[in-house]
Structures are given as C-alpha cells and as structure tokens.
Amino acid sequence: MRPRRAGCGDHGVVTSVTVVGGGVVGLTSALRLAENGHAVTCVRDVPAAGTVSAVAGGLWFPYHVEPRSRVVAWGLASLARFGMLADDPTAGVALREGLLVERAGPDRWWTEGVSGWRDAEPAELPDGAESGVVITVPLVAMPVYLGWLETACVAAGVTLAGRRVDDLADIEDDVVVVAAGLRAPALLPDVEVTGSRGQVALLANPGIDRWFVDDGFEGAMTYVLPHPGWVVCGGTDVPDGSEEADPAVHDAIVARCRAAVPELRDAEVLGSRVGLRPVAPAVDLRLHHVHGRPVVTNVGHGGAGITLSWGCADEVVALVDGLE
Ligand SMILES: Cc1cc2nc3c(=O)[nH]c(=O)nc-3n(C[C@H](O)[C@H](O)[C@H](O)COP(=O)(O)OP(=O)(O)OC[C@H]3O[C@@H](n4cnc5c(N)ncnc54)[C@H](O)[C@@H]3O)c2cc1C
C-alpha cells in the first residue's frame, strides 16, 4: 500500500485512492480513476470470476434499479462506452439486436436518449403479449469482459490486491471508494443494500445471436442472452439469500427458455449459476467523510451493475476530482 500523502487536503492534491471491490463496479471505477491520473489500488477478497458480476447475463438494460432520474444518464454513458468497446475483439462486448416483451404494457422510460429502437410487430411477440421493443444494445460476455477490465486496470497503472478489508480505517490512501456490492454495509453501516437472488442456467450456444427477454412471470423472468459458445438463460429475482442453485428452478428455467427459443431445444445444459443482486432503494453514489477521510460509495446497482458501470464510474471520478 502506498503511504498516505502527508498534507493531502491542505495542498488540495489527491494522489492515492483505494477502491474496495473487484466486481464490475469496482474495476470500472478503478480504471476510470487511473485514466484520470490517480494512483489506484483495487482491493478485493473475491477474484472477479467469483463475483456476482461474473454471474450476470451482461445485457445493457436498467433492470431493478433506482432512481430512474439518474439511471438514464448513467446508462447512456455506459451505452456509449460499450459501443466503442464492441470494436475491441478482446473485450467480450457485442452489439446485438433482441426483443424485450412488455407484459404489463409499454414502459419506455429507459429509452430516453436511446436511439435505434422500434415497436415489435405483433407477429414477433409471444402468445398473450401485446407490446414489446426491438432494440440493438450491448451484450457483454462477463467472464471475458471482467478479464479485459482487469487487464485494462493493470495497463492503466492500477495495483490489484487480493485481501479482505475489515475496517476502512486500516486503509492508508487519501481517498477510499467502496464498491463492495452486497457487502458494503459491513464497511459502512449507513449504507443499505440487500440481496435479491438470481438463478440462471447456462446452455451451449447452438448458433443464436439474438437475445430475448420476457418479464412475464411472478418472481421470475424468461431471458435468453447468447454469447460466443454459451447462452445465459434466466431467471429469477427473489428476496432470498441462498447462493445454492435449486434444481427445480433450474429445470423450470430451461423449460421456459426452450419454449421461448426453440433453437435451444437440443442445446447441451452446461450448468447453473446463482448470484445475489445488490439491491438498494437507490444507487448509493455519494461522498462521505469517515474519520475525516473522504469515502465515496458506489453500490446498490441491483440488476443493472454492468448497464450503469461506466456512467457511475465517471461520477466517482467527478467526486474525487472535486476534492482537489
Ligand atoms: C442472475 C443475474 C443476472 C444479472 N444480469 C445483469 C445484466 O444482464 N445486466 C446488468 O447490468 N446487470 C445484471 N445483473 C446485476 C449485476 O450482476 C450486479 O449489479 C453487479 O454485478 C454488481 O457489481 P458489483 O461490482 O457492485 O458487486 P460484485 O460483483 O458482487 O463485486 C463485489 C466485490 O467486492 C469485494 N468485496 C466486498 N467486500 C469486501 C471487503 N470487505 N474486502 C475486500 N473486498 C470486498 C468482493 O470481493 C468483490 O470483488 C445480474 C445479476 C444477477 C444475479
């Protein structure tokens, strides 16, 4: 750990930042801070491949997250950055067309500022659905993308450290960014985040590249998110803390997705994954002062941590730069 620079604050110069968290939110924050000239250490006790971020389907869509007034701008910033990353074959980002079925009728708040979408034709919709949106958005292959993010962090000068932080007071850098997802309240008791369980099934990709989301089931959705080699099939969204895959839920997901996308009928089942979405009443992105030191929280992204990652990281940088 670099020593905390004496006189920081007095001289108005931020030199060192520790980011706690190495999921998509922490890594993106670390990368943006390093790109902006800060000396950054990213500390995490779970490698990226073991995080909730690695379970995610990777669709750009602001699902189960508040407040909408800020989510739109964060999502647009991420949309632009992922659009650029789609040109990098190592990043695991593709721009793919798909269908979002709206069982409860049109709810288009999230399209503000987004171009290139259209109403689905009736013939494109599943039985019983009356509306939907066809749109091309980023689809992020998370295991690939998280590796890309770590590599980009190191290239930008971020030090990646593997250890658990038990107390923010143990960190010596000038500024701390808490991007610890569901576990943020253990570090900052006034932060409110709870887990919402998401289970997915992984199937071999038989050659599909169009995604499908149908939010038409109580406590469950049907979604099919194709990546090169595998398809993330979902899913559930229930307030439950268990991280064990439920075999009955798995079978129901596979059956629903095969019914929705017939090309999956004979696709090999590769496994199950469970993640707990870090849900908060609103994304907690603000500046605190803990024992006199600036602490920025970037937590509570619910079902939209990838979707909002770049926009929120930009705001973290603005808050840290604002200390100077
Ligand atoms: C099934 C499922 C599907 C999803 N699909 C999508 C999707 O399609 N699109 C989308 O945008 N979002 C999706 N999400 C939501 C997304 O996965 C989350 O919002 C996002 O991963 C949260 O990222 P994070 O970095 O905040 O947390 P995490 O990925 O949980 O990372 C937390 C990090 O903090 C570290 N940490 C915590 N406490 C400490 C500590 N005390 N000391 C050291 N390290 C610590 C951990 O080691 C870890 O590295 C989905 C989620 C699930 C469960």
Side-chain angles (χ1 to χ4, degrees), residues 20-26 43-46 51-53 55-59 61 163-165 179-181 183 187 198-200 223 225 275-278 301-307:
V20 183
V24 69
V25 173
V43 180
R44 74 273 198 253
D45 60 356
V46 176
T51 61
V52 178
S53 301
V55 176
L59 183 70
F61 182 72
R163 66 179 173 85
R164 192 176 77 197
V165 175
R183 289 165 53 209
L187 296 170
Q199 181 168 332
V200 295
Y223 56 85
L225 305 175
L276 302 180
R277 296 176 181 86
H301 303 81
I306 295 104
T307 305

Side-chain angles (χ1 to χ4, degrees), residues 59-83:
L59 183 70
W60 182 94
F61 182 72
Y63 170 73
H64 201 160
V65 69
E66 296 289 345
R68 293 181 174 188
S69 56
R70 301 178 79 194
V71 162
V72 166
W74 290 327
L76 284 173
S78 302
L79 190 60
R81 188 76 186 238
F82 283 127

Side-chain angles (χ1 to χ4, degrees), residues 6-13:
C8 168
D10 301 336
H11 298 154
V13 179

Side-chain angles (χ1 to χ4, degrees), residues 269-321:
V269 176
L270 303 176
S272 275
R273 298 280 185 277
V274 173
L276 302 180
R277 296 176 181 86
V279 174
V283 173
D284 191 329
L285 206 176
R286 61 195 160 114
L287 175 66
H288 314 239
H289 283 90
V290 180
H291 304 305
R293 194 221 327 252
V295 174
V296 175
T297 42
N298 189 10
V299 297
H301 303 81
I306 295 104
T307 305
L308 307 184
S309 55
W310 288 102
C312 289
D314 289 346
E315 196 161 319
V316 167
V317 171
L319 286 172
V320 173
D321 286 351

Side-chain angles (χ1 to χ4, degrees), residues 193-219:
V193 188
T194 55
S196 189
R197 186 176 188 278
Q199 181 168 332
V200 295
L202 303 185
L203 271 63
N205 189 339
I208 59 173
D209 58 12
R210 193 178 160 86
W211 56 267
F212 172 86
V213 174
D214 186 344
D215 196 357
F217 301 85
E218 189 84 9

